[in-house]
Each structure stands twice: as C-alpha cells, then as structure tokens.
Amino acid sequence: MVRTIKVNFDTIEMMLFFWQSVAEKEKVSESYMMDIAEKEEMKYLYGSEFNKESVRKVLSAISNRELLSEATKKERKFWNNNMWILEDLGNMNNMIRPVKTLNLDYLKEKFNEETKFDEIIVIFIPGHEDEYYIDENKLVINFFRLMVDFMDETQVNISGKPLKEYIEEKILEILK
C-alpha cells in the first residue's frame, strides 16, 4: 500500500534562481553551478557524454553569455533547453507553478492494495534528452518536457497528457 507520495523539486528551485539571475544579467557563482551539478537527483543524467562538469560548463557558458564550444550532443541539448527557458520566463513560471503546488495525496487511495513500495518519490530535474526515469520507487521527470497549454496557461501537459494523469500512469509502472 502506498502511504506516502513525495514531490521533490529542489533542483528546479535552484535552477529557478539561476534562470532569474541570468535573465537579470546577474553573475552566478561557479560554486552555485557546482552545487546544482552535485545534487543527488542529477545523477540520472550522468553517463559517458554528460557529467557534473558538463552541467558546470553549460551553466557557466549561459551565465557568461558565451557560446558552448566542443560540446557533446547531450551538453548541447542541455544548453538548448536552458536557453529555451530563458527566452520566455513567463512560460517558465507557468511550468513551475503546477510543480510547486503538486499534491498527489489523492493517489494514495487509488493505490491502496498491497504494493512493493509504501513510499513513492516524484522528482523533477532539468534534463537533456529522456522524458523520465524510473529507479525503484522514484519517478524522475525531465522538467523541460513539461508543456504549457497555450489555450489555458494554467494547464501543463507532458507527452500530450495532463501532468497528474501522466504521473499516475508512471507510478503504475513503478508499482507493477
């Protein structure tokens, strides 16, 4: 039985500060960028083409308004995703609002039969390519894959589905 469903958007909160600072042409320290890179949640992005240094390098280039040179495909994608956010902070705020207010407690009743996990953690990270990752009882969602419905800016979708519906489907994958 699922007793707890937690939402972790700590890394997105850190990115929010980064995006707002860059948009206001303020300098962001290298140590802050490394703090983002060293967040436990970021490990889902790391592999041979993208690592902590990739995060620092990309965020530093963005902060310093430099072009990204000698980058891997995943580093370029991460750079593009961040630049896309910076182009429209209003859109970014519309993406963040439902994440910050996300309450999934209603799903506990839905998943009240015996399950292999009694706690589910939904994590939002600033990803590069993959839409989501599942690791044991954790659902890790690429924040950049959220899309604001332009007909109703209060609605956020991912993969063509409302955010809560999408999360519910992925939690079912975890519990199977």
Side-chain angles (χ1 to χ4, degrees):
M1 179 171 158
V2 175
R3 297 185 201 289
T4 321
I5 303 176
K6 295 180 180 176
V7 179
N8 176 333
F9 57 91
D10 295 348
T11 306
I12 296 303
E13 283 283 353
M14 291 181 77
M15 291 301 300
L16 177 59
F17 173 80
F18 174 82
W19 295 322
Q20 289 172 331
S21 296
V22 169
E24 293 169 7
K25 298 185 178 12
E26 293 177 14
K27 183 73 174 135
V28 179
S29 72
E30 291 285 320
S31 64
Y32 188 81
M33 293 176 228
M34 282 308 297
D35 286 347
I36 292 170
E38 290 173 354
K39 290 289 289 177
E40 177 69 20
E41 298 83 16
M42 293 295 284
K43 73 179 182 185
Y44 296 101
L45 302 176
Y46 299 152
S48 61
E49 291 183 51
F50 194 84
N51 55 36
K52 291 177 186 179
E53 176 57 22
S54 300
V55 172
R56 188 213 56 79
K57 178 172 86 172
V58 170
L59 296 181
S60 181
I62 292 169
S63 178
N64 294 323
R65 291 162 185 69
E66 301 169 349
L67 292 176
L68 189 62
S69 58
E70 298 180 32
T72 67
K73 179 181 175 187
K74 290 181 180 182
E75 289 170 343
R76 285 191 304 274
K77 182 69 174 170
F78 188 68
W79 186 85
N80 284 335
N81 287 342
N82 278 282
M83 294 304 288
W84 168 70
I85 287 289
L86 286 166
E87 285 176 10
D88 187 353
L89 292 182
N91 187 54
M92 181 259 313
N93 285 323
N94 287 335
M95 292 165 64
I96 283 183
R97 192 173 302 110
V99 171
K100 282 183 154 184
T101 59
L102 188 60
N103 183 340
L104 300 170
D105 284 346
Y106 73 96
L107 290 176
K108 291 189 288 189
E109 282 188 33
K110 198 165 197 163
F111 304 126
N112 63 359
E113 61 251 11
E114 194 59 37
T115 60
K116 58 183 174 180
F117 300 110
D118 63 348
E119 178 180 72
I120 302 293
I121 303 169
V122 179
I123 302 167
F124 290 88
I125 59 171
H128 40 63
E129 293 180 326
D130 294 329
E131 186 172 276
Y132 73 98
Y133 308 87
I134 290 178
D135 179 19
E136 297 283 321
N137 66 328
K138 296 174 188 76
L139 170 60
V140 181
I141 298 174
N142 182 350
F143 177 77
F144 293 128
R145 293 296 178 100
L146 300 179
M147 292 293 150
V148 175
D149 183 333
F150 292 105
M151 301 301 273
D152 180 359
E153 291 180 342
T154 64
Q155 295 296 313
V156 174
N157 299 314
I158 183 167
S159 204
K161 297 177 184 159
L163 180 61
K164 285 185 176 181
E165 182 182 320
Y166 179 87
I167 290 172
E168 185 176 336
E169 284 180 14
K170 299 308 174 198
I171 289 175
L172 273 173
E173 282 183 40
I174 290 172
L175 298 175
K176 287 184 179 181

